[in-house]
Amino acid sequence: MEVNPPKQEHLLALKVMRLTKPTLFTNIPVTCEEKDLPGELFNQLMRDDPSTVNGAEILMLGEMLTLPQNFGNIFLGETFSSYISVHNDSSQVVKDILVKADLQTSSQRLNLSASSAAVAELKPDCCIDDVIHHEVKEIGTHILVCAVSYTTQNGEKMYFRKFFKFQVLKPLDVKTKFYNAETDEVFLEAQIQNITNSPMFMEKVSLEPSIMYNVAELNSVNQAGESISTFGSRAYLQPMDTRQYLYCLKPKKEFAEKAGIIKGVTVIGKLDIVWKTNLGERGRLQTSQLQRMAPGYGDVRLSLEAIPDTVTLEEPFHITCKITNCSERTMDLVLEMCNTNSVHWCGISGRQLGKLHPSSSLCLALTLLSSVQGLQSVSGLRLTDTFLKRTYEYDDIAQVCVVSSAVKMEN
């Protein structure tokens, strides 16, 4: 009959504890009115309770702190900290102790140990302590692997390890929308939702633009020379609440002048989100590069550089147009101006604009007048490429408010 030898117990003990901030102690107040049977008994017990706030005993929130009772939740973007202790439970001196901590994710294995050198010896009732930190950048299952190797007094090499499995959850739900303006400006709307079960203090939500764009945040208003957040003085985001952040991006001058660069898919930038949770625990997330599909302008783009908001009935007004060659060939353009029922162009129609090279632009000052009051559309511009005999039509370029001279004088 074969007998298996008993499993040898290790001389060292390994303990691992996650380091988190404590929480404020809460209690359930039990009180009654003076005319009830207990009288002042419940109120007196609450006043004598050391965990209650003096003078505000009926509040659930106390002045004491509570140490974490479980592992808790770990969210993407937070820093995972853990305390590792190896204690010599035996009466022997142990030599060549090596403690190694690795974090296994779904895609990689990371070494979190502060030092890879072995400790020469560990006397009885002594311990080796280490604190590890790691900024969590992946969601899903994570496994903390702690391995200990040592040598006994008899020269026998021993080895053991422990596994600690935990889940990394998603703290925020981020959705983005792009809006293309008539100019080269792009508006980005970012919807950020807190999908945790505790409030967040939103420390920073900013957009880091790509090299092609300048960005302006539209999340504050100027009151008496002071910038006031549109979300008010409290930057807390309650569980399942959503906030909308708005940004305006405009291509830099050196890129805006090169029409071919702006065409197609362009990289806008990435969002940088920083928040704090329980007792100031910090978290940070950066989105991947945000991309948008730039609107197609065809071979020739016509945009307005300047136009008045309000004009006088039957009086000439001036606009400035910008014509950009978005194709890869040189164009020879002719401008035609066609009158509509309400808008009439002033000047010579059918004039030659000359040759326009690829990615080049030309600014034109045009004059027109309106014979009808109200909100009128500027239409009727035609550009003809004499090389290909192709005509490009531009209607509803912009709108102007036409008022009579009497109304304008009153204003």
Side-chain angles (χ1 to χ4, degrees):
M1 181 177 179
E2 183 180 355
V3 179
N4 294 324
K7 187 176 180 181
Q8 184 177 0
E9 292 186 0
H10 285 280
L11 306 179
L12 303 181
L14 172 66
K15 294 183 179 180
V16 177
M17 181 176 66
R18 183 192 173 195
L19 297 178
T20 57
K21 295 288 182 69
T23 57
L24 292 171
F25 179 79
T26 57
N27 54 18
I28 301 177
V30 179
T31 183
C32 64
E33 297 182 0
E34 294 183 1
K35 61 182 180 181
D36 292 336
L37 184 61
E40 278 291 310
L41 177 61
F42 291 157
N43 294 333
Q44 187 60 43
L45 290 174
M46 286 194 299
R47 284 192 289 268
D48 296 338
D49 190 344
S51 65
T52 59
V53 179
N54 188 20
E57 292 83 8
I58 61 173
L59 294 179
M60 293 183 62
L61 202 61
E63 294 180 324
M64 292 187 175
L65 298 177
T66 304
L67 293 176
Q69 303 300 309
N70 50 45
F71 196 79
N73 293 325
I74 299 179
F75 293 100
L76 184 69
E78 294 182 343
T79 299
F80 169 71
S81 299
S82 184
Y83 169 71
I84 300 175
S85 178
V86 176
H87 186 267
N88 188 352
D89 290 344
S90 70
S91 58
Q92 305 178 22
V93 176
V94 179
K95 298 181 179 180
D96 301 329
I97 307 97
L98 180 62
V99 183
K100 187 178 180 182
D102 292 341
L103 186 63
Q104 178 70 55
T105 70
S106 58
S107 63
Q108 58 183 335
R109 189 183 181 103
L110 303 169
N111 181 21
L112 305 183
S113 300
S115 175
S116 59
V119 178
E121 65 176 22
L122 186 63
K123 296 180 180 180
D125 290 330
C126 293
C127 61
I128 301 172
D129 299 324
D130 191 14
V131 176
I132 58 174
H133 303 280
H134 173 68
E135 185 178 349
V136 182
K137 298 180 180 179
E138 296 182 42
I139 59 174
T141 303
H142 288 57
I143 302 175
L144 179 63
V145 183
C146 297
V148 180
S149 62
Y150 61 95
T151 304
T152 65
Q153 284 184 340
N154 300 328
E156 184 181 2
K157 295 186 179 297
M158 305 293 292
Y159 173 84
F160 70 94
R161 61 181 179 173
K162 288 186 177 181
F163 299 90
F164 303 89
K165 186 177 179 180
F166 59 91
Q167 295 288 331
V168 174
L169 307 177
K170 185 179 176 183
L172 299 171
D173 186 26
V174 181
K175 298 178 181 177
T176 56
K177 295 180 182 178
F178 290 103
Y179 303 92
N180 298 310
E182 294 180 356
T183 60
D184 286 330
E185 292 179 336
V186 180
F187 292 90
L188 169 64
E189 176 192 348
Q191 299 179 0
I192 300 177
Q193 183 182 25
N194 176 10
I195 57 177
T196 69
N197 55 6
S198 60
M200 285 184 177
F201 173 78
M202 305 305 293
E203 185 175 294
K204 183 181 75 169
V205 180
S206 62
L207 176 64
E208 297 179 0
S210 66
I211 191 173
M212 297 174 61
Y213 291 92
N214 292 319
V215 64
E217 295 191 9
L218 306 179
N219 305 309
S220 60
V221 292
N222 194 338
Q223 294 183 356
E226 185 178 357
S227 181
I228 306 297
S229 172
T230 54
F231 306 112
S233 58
R234 297 182 179 179
Y236 289 98
L237 189 61
Q238 297 294 334
M240 304 311 296
D241 279 2
T242 302
R243 275 189 181 173
Q244 294 171 300
Y245 295 84
L246 187 62
Y247 304 90
C248 177
L249 298 106
K250 191 171 184 180
K252 294 180 180 178
K253 187 176 181 181
E254 58 267 29
F255 295 105
E257 293 175 351
K258 300 178 181 179
I261 297 179
I262 301 298
K263 291 176 66 176
V265 177
T266 57
V267 175
I268 296 296
K270 54 186 178 181
L271 287 170
D272 188 14
I273 307 170
V274 181
W275 70 91
K276 290 182 179 179
T277 54
N278 179 38
L279 292 181
E281 287 184 286
R282 194 170 183 264
R284 180 183 181 185
L285 279 181
Q286 277 192 335
T287 65
S288 56
Q289 290 287 350
L290 303 176
Q291 293 184 337
R292 63 117 187 183
M293 181 64 73
Y297 300 114
D299 293 338
V300 184
R301 180 190 179 191
L302 186 142
S303 58
L304 281 179
E305 297 292 299
I307 184 172
D309 295 329
T310 305
V311 298
T312 305
L313 180 68
E314 297 181 346
E315 287 189 8
F317 62 93
H318 306 283
I319 65 173
T320 302
C321 295
K322 183 179 180 180
I323 301 172
T324 304
N325 182 357
C326 299
S327 69
E328 298 178 354
R329 56 185 175 81
T330 301
M331 292 184 171
D332 191 3
L333 299 175
V334 175
L335 174 66
E336 296 182 7
M337 299 179 293
C338 305
N339 295 331
T340 63
N341 294 333
S342 58
V343 175
H344 308 274
W345 295 93
C346 304
I348 301 174
S349 179
R351 59 171 168 160
Q352 295 277 347
L353 299 181
K355 293 183 179 180
L356 192 61
H357 297 286
S359 301
S360 299
S361 300
L362 172 68
C363 287
L364 291 175
L366 302 176
T367 305
L368 60 161
L369 61 85
S370 177
S371 59
V372 180
Q373 295 187 71
L375 192 64
Q376 304 299 329
S377 293
V378 177
S379 302
L381 289 180
R382 306 288 183 265
L383 287 171
T384 302
D385 182 9
T386 58
F387 289 152
L388 298 181
K389 305 300 182 183
R390 183 180 297 172
T391 300
Y392 305 92
E393 300 181 356
Y394 300 95
D395 295 317
D396 296 324
I397 304 168
Q399 292 181 325
V400 293
C401 181
V402 183
V403 298
S404 66
S405 57
V407 172
K408 198 157 188 179
M409 289 179 62
E410 291 178 2
N411 294 337

